[in-house]
Amino acid sequence: MFDGADPASLSDEVLEVRVLGYAAQITALTAEFLSLVAELGERESWRGPGIHSLAQWLSWKAGISQRTAHEQVRVAKSLRELPLIRKAFGAGRLTYSKVRALTRVATPSREKELVNLALSCTASQLEKAVRAMRQIDRGYSEGGELVTPTESSARWQWNADGSLSVSMTLTPLDGARFLAGTVRAEYERTRTAGDPDLPSVPRNAPDGELETEGAPDSEVRPANRRDLWKRVPSNIAAAVVAMADMVHEGIAMPDLAPGAEILIHSGDGVEQAHLDDGPALSEAELEEVRCGASMREALSRRVPGRRGKLALLGLGRKQRAPSKAMIRALFLRDRCCQTPGCGRTRHLHAHHVVFWSHDGETELDNLILLCGTCHRALHRGEFSIKSHGQQRFSFHMPNGSVIEVNPPTRAPGLWQPDDQVAADATVPVGGGRLDLGYAMEVIYAVWEWKGRAAASTAAA
């Protein structure tokens, strides 16, 4: 089956057998691949400059689209708690499409029946069954009663480590409005595919050629895919911050509105710079915020002879920033966050490679676009940027090594097929005939019986 024969030389029967055999081997390899992904996610060794999630690392290093990678990471994590599904997956009997559907509803107490169902139907039939299960399960308590949501509420507080905690409980309608706004904010924050602002070649390699014009029309992919942004990100922190930035920049406020502006206290009389009525800021955080123009500094000094008394010298102007013309030129040059592997195109910061506080000039040779996350990582010392003149830059790890812009991908050598994977492992049992209503009735009857049995055992 794996002799490398020309497909055109094979008979119809042999060709069909080989297609199914390769499908089974791909399934088994995918199961092993996802187990490695789950372990990589557990260790978090993927973290690095410009890499904000394991899915983004897979997109950068393995050439997988971020949407596909996000789903693979979700499935990989779910499989750790589902040994029966994991075993059938590794044997090539449950395809990735079926496993992806099962992990949306599977639990350790349910997976036996779900595996039996999946083995007897096609992937599209299983998707229908899973959708039906989610409709049945949604909105009901363990006792089978409809859950009445509470009124929307939210609380916030500064933590001892300087971070801000926000806790929200929203009604279904308020929650849907919040998530819809989150998806829109995430779209604007991370959109790259088909974006006319996306450069056709990377711009941050020391030896690369600088583009003088945008990508040709033939190289710009259309952004009319309706299914690209129908999912809510699992980690919504960055999107919520983006929502706040949009409101901050888009809504005018009276001058006397201290809560609507980022106010930082500093000066000779202040022991440590800190947010107004908030936590202290590190030097790295101060350097980061000074790169932008979204804060004011309240300068103070001590009053002689009055211990602990500070005199407010005044509110400084918003920090020095490039002109609008320079920002437009910078955007035309960089188009997106220049950190290798990132590529975000919205809510970018104009960063001084040689810091403004270190007498760095506000010139294009010293400016580069970074997203907020990469900007913070740079000021924390997680990576550095070097200028090579003529508006060329390179990125480096703390040990000085250059961060690759486009890591190469290649097929592994010396691969051998798994002889224990049957050639027809992916073929549904019984030809894939399924009565969805009857299947749901039987499965939920079994789960109800198992629940009663578990309850009676616990009571005894």
Side-chain angles (χ1 to χ4, degrees):
M1 182 177 294
F2 302 95
D3 55 7
D6 184 357
S9 66
L10 304 176
S11 65
D12 293 347
E13 182 180 358
V14 173
L15 185 61
E16 291 177 8
V17 170
R18 292 199 175 197
V19 166
L20 295 179
Y22 273 77
Q25 293 291 330
I26 290 172
T27 296
L29 279 174
T30 303
E32 186 174 349
F33 165 71
L34 291 184
S35 69
L36 298 174
V37 169
E39 180 62 26
L40 185 61
E42 185 72 18
R43 298 185 185 185
E44 296 191 350
S45 57
W46 50 267
R47 292 189 179 276
I51 306 301
H52 315 298
S53 67
L54 176 54
Q56 189 177 2
W57 185 90
L58 288 171
S59 176
W60 178 39
K61 289 279 191 175
I64 303 171
S65 73
Q66 281 205 39
R67 187 185 177 201
T68 300
H70 274 294
E71 191 70 355
Q72 289 177 340
V73 171
R74 181 193 68 79
V75 173
K77 292 180 178 179
S78 300
L79 285 174
R80 288 204 150 193
E81 307 298 326
L82 303 169
L84 297 181
I85 295 178
R86 190 169 65 246
K87 181 179 179 181
F89 190 19
R93 302 184 66 199
L94 290 180
T95 63
Y96 173 71
S97 296
K98 291 184 177 182
V99 170
R100 181 182 59 190
L102 289 178
T103 51
R104 299 190 184 115
V105 295
T107 62
S109 62
R110 285 184 168 190
E111 63 171 335
K112 181 178 179 181
E113 292 76 24
L114 290 174
V115 168
N116 291 335
L117 172 66
L119 292 175
S120 302
C121 63
T122 65
S124 60
Q125 290 171 340
L126 185 60
E127 285 281 359
K128 292 180 181 178
V130 167
R131 282 197 297 270
M133 291 178 187
R134 297 182 77 180
Q135 290 293 334
I136 295 171
D137 293 341
R138 184 177 295 125
Y140 287 87
S141 64
E142 294 183 359
E145 298 179 355
L146 186 64
V147 176
T148 302
T150 59
E151 292 298 321
S152 296
S153 63
R155 301 289 184 270
W156 64 271
Q157 68 174 12
W158 290 109
N159 300 319
D161 62 356
S163 60
L164 179 71
S165 291
V166 179
S167 175
M168 295 193 302
T169 301
L170 303 178
T171 63
L173 182 57
D174 288 348
R177 293 163 64 186
F178 174 76
L179 291 179
T182 301
V183 170
R184 288 174 178 268
E186 184 74 356
Y187 173 77
E188 284 300 306
R189 189 181 70 84
T190 63
R191 179 166 59 95
T192 56
D195 193 332
D197 296 335
L198 182 68
S200 58
V201 297
R203 301 173 176 276
N204 49 10
D207 300 327
E209 292 292 331
L210 286 174
E211 289 183 346
T212 57
E213 299 292 338
D217 292 340
S218 61
E219 297 184 16
V220 176
R221 293 171 293 175
N224 57 1
R225 288 280 303 281
R226 296 182 179 180
D227 60 340
L228 283 177
W229 290 96
K230 63 184 180 183
R231 298 191 183 279
V232 179
S234 57
N235 184 352
I236 63 173
V240 170
V241 173
M243 291 170 64
D245 286 342
M246 293 176 192
V247 173
H248 186 275
E249 296 169 3
I251 299 179
M253 289 290 292
D255 290 338
L256 190 60
E261 191 170 47
I262 301 173
L263 182 63
I264 296 176
H265 291 270
S266 65
D268 295 336
V270 179
E271 293 184 3
Q272 186 171 3
H274 61 274
L275 292 171
D276 185 50
D277 198 24
L281 298 177
S282 66
E283 285 298 323
E285 290 170 322
L286 281 176
E287 291 287 0
E288 176 194 344
V289 77
R290 283 168 178 159
C291 282
S294 60
M295 52 82 74
R296 292 183 188 272
E297 256 185 303
L299 303 176
S300 304
R301 64 174 174 79
R302 295 192 179 277
V303 177
R306 299 185 64 182
R307 184 176 181 182
K309 183 66 175 178
L310 297 178
L312 183 64
L313 300 181
L315 289 177
R317 295 178 58 84
K318 289 189 175 182
Q319 296 301 300
R320 175 72 173 90
S323 65
K324 290 184 178 180
M326 191 173 293
I327 287 290
R328 285 194 293 269
L330 182 62
F331 183 77
L332 288 174
R333 187 196 73 188
D334 289 349
R335 308 285 182 161
C336 63
C337 176
Q338 293 295 282
T339 307
C342 183
R344 290 175 174 173
T345 60
R346 292 297 181 266
H347 307 290
L348 303 175
H349 301 179
H351 169 68
H352 291 73
V353 176
V354 177
F355 294 169
W356 170 257
S357 59
H358 297 171
D359 298 327
E361 296 183 353
T362 306
E363 301 291 346
L364 289 178
D365 277 346
N366 192 47
L367 292 173
I368 193 169
L369 288 183
L370 299 176
C371 71
T373 303
C374 293
H375 199 179
R376 286 187 289 275
L378 181 140
H379 282 288
R380 289 195 299 263
E382 296 180 15
F383 68 96
S384 61
I385 305 176
K386 291 183 180 180
S387 174
H388 299 271
Q390 298 182 348
Q391 302 181 34
R392 295 182 301 170
F393 308 94
S394 61
F395 287 68
H396 300 261
M397 295 298 291
N399 62 6
S401 61
V402 178
I403 301 175
E404 292 182 277
V405 178
N406 291 312
T409 58
R410 50 187 173 272
L414 304 178
W415 176 80
Q416 294 294 327
D418 189 348
D419 295 334
Q420 296 181 349
V421 178
D424 59 349
T426 60
V427 179
V429 177
R433 292 184 291 273
L434 175 68
D435 184 333
L436 180 58
Y438 177 72
M440 292 297 99
E441 183 178 351
V442 171
I443 287 176
Y444 274 88
V446 171
W447 288 344
E448 184 179 355
W449 174 82
K450 290 172 67 175
R452 289 198 305 268
S456 60
T457 302

